[in-house]
Amino acid sequence: MTLLAALQQRYASLLPYLLLPLLAWQLDELPPRLLPAAGTLLGVALWLHFYRQYRHVADTPTTTSQAAAQGYCECFGEAAALDGPPLVTPFGGMRCVWYQAERRPNGRQQRPQRSERLCSDDSFRLLDRRGEIIVQPAGASIEARHQRSWHDGDDVLSERWIAIGDPLYALGELRSLGGQPDRQAFRDDLQLTLNEWKQDPAQLLRRFDQNGDGTLSSEEWEHARQTAHGEVGRNHRALAAIPLSHHLQRPADRRPFIISWRSPQDTASALRRLAWSHAACALLATLWLTRSG
């Protein structure tokens, strides 16, 4: 990626500030305080957004696939494809693990045409020195290492992609599937099964009321409990036969989900600079607002 493309991708959120003075010059009928007030609000909102991302990146320790705990974590390694047909970018045919592509008219056509946007949500692997983590990129804020655009007749084509072997940073929610569940998981699943049975008393009586008196005696309830114990045990033995895999995905609690080709330190530094750039723009817009009053 060229330096210009990297700056465009990282600092694209600063472009709206450049339009405010142009709009103020072109649209004299607007209230004089409207545009600077909008710039102040935009700057504060985006400062909060990027500073929150920066704090999550800076405060979350980097883990490995072997030591990864369930929950919110960050990982760093290199990108690799899953088994199966290779993934390629739709216009340029570049081999990758993720892409985002756009076809848009160049503005010279006689008739307006809609832009076409394509994005891959296929899972891919993050490899580190201890193993692998499956990354499910849907919903992530992604900074790709590779980017290009070119003209194709009356269209402008652009693509961003993560290539196989690229450095890969990911911050999100980790879930492990398969493997031998621990004792606490067995106790939790046993209690969950019994609670579900209790929610259907008629079915529970049909299965375990051996003397037909309409209630479960202590012996009948123990029989029900042993039956649930056996069912949970069979389910856990089936899970133990499935190889353990780790999956990183979008957090359910709206915490940032970030994928980048930069190291954890560089990702944190870039977000910190971006946050304070928006804070500076908010300050300049505030000074403009006070002078226009």
Side-chain angles (χ1 to χ4, degrees):
M1 178 187 291
T2 64
L3 177 60
L4 179 59
L7 292 176
Q8 288 175 340
Q9 186 177 162
R10 188 187 299 180
Y11 295 107
S13 61
L14 295 172
L15 294 179
Y17 300 109
L18 302 179
L19 299 177
L20 295 178
L22 179 62
L23 289 174
W25 179 59
Q26 293 285 342
L27 303 175
D28 295 334
E29 68 276 9
L30 288 178
R33 297 171 65 89
L34 177 62
L35 291 177
T40 300
L41 293 175
L42 178 66
V44 171
L46 290 178
W47 170 73
L48 290 172
H49 171 74
F50 287 108
Y51 188 78
R52 175 175 175 265
Q53 289 193 345
Y54 158 64
R55 288 307 334 166
H56 277 290
V57 172
D59 296 342
T60 305
T62 306
T63 187
T64 65
S65 57
Q66 189 176 46
Q70 303 295 294
Y72 198 62
C73 67
E74 71 173 21
C75 308
F76 184 66
E78 68 176 45
L82 293 173
D83 296 334
L87 183 69
V88 296
T89 60
F91 304 139
M94 305 300 295
R95 184 79 179 269
C96 63
V97 299
W98 175 88
Y99 66 78
Q100 185 180 70
E102 181 180 13
R103 180 195 297 270
R104 64 182 186 274
N106 61 16
R108 294 197 298 266
Q109 294 94 329
Q110 296 296 324
R111 291 178 299 177
Q113 297 181 2
R114 287 186 175 182
S115 297
E116 178 186 10
R117 292 181 176 85
L118 303 169
C119 185
S120 166
D121 284 338
D122 294 354
S123 299
F124 51 86
R125 296 187 295 166
L126 184 155
L127 303 180
D128 60 23
R129 63 184 184 277
R130 300 293 182 87
E132 69 176 33
I133 291 173
I134 308 300
V135 180
Q136 300 169 213
S141 172
I142 300 179
E143 183 183 16
R145 188 176 193 179
H146 308 280
Q147 176 175 320
R148 64 188 288 243
S149 62
W150 68 98
H151 289 269
D152 180 27
D154 291 332
D155 295 325
V156 177
L157 307 181
S158 61
E159 292 180 332
R160 298 192 300 130
W161 70 94
I162 300 173
I164 295 173
D166 277 356
L168 187 63
Y169 168 86
L171 173 71
E173 190 79 17
L174 188 74
R175 292 285 182 266
S176 296
L177 302 177
Q180 178 64 54
D182 57 22
R183 293 182 178 179
Q184 184 59 49
F186 185 92
R187 289 192 291 267
D188 292 343
D189 287 349
L190 177 61
Q191 188 60 53
L192 180 62
T193 299
L194 292 172
N195 290 340
E196 290 177 350
W197 289 0
K198 290 178 182 178
Q199 292 176 6
D200 189 353
Q203 178 64 19
L204 188 63
L205 289 173
R206 280 193 296 270
R207 291 186 65 183
F208 301 108
D209 184 14
Q210 297 176 351
N211 59 15
D213 64 355
T215 61
L216 292 182
S217 64
S218 58
E219 292 80 6
E220 291 167 340
W221 175 247
E222 181 60 26
H223 180 217
R225 190 178 182 282
Q226 291 301 322
T227 302
H229 192 283
E231 289 187 8
V232 173
R234 285 191 295 273
N235 292 337
H236 278 220
R237 286 191 292 272
L239 287 175
I242 301 174
L244 181 65
S245 60
H246 304 295
H247 298 254
L248 197 76
Q249 59 192 24
R250 182 179 184 178
D253 58 4
R254 303 178 65 85
R255 280 181 291 183
F257 182 25
I258 299 173
I259 297 173
S260 176
W261 63 275
R262 302 179 186 279
S263 69
Q265 295 78 15
D266 288 345
T267 301
S269 297
L271 289 170
R272 183 181 67 246
R273 287 193 298 269
L274 190 55
W276 290 112
S277 296
H278 283 289
C281 289
L283 178 60
L284 292 175
T286 302
L287 294 175
W288 179 16
L289 179 63
T290 58
R291 290 180 179 273
S292 62

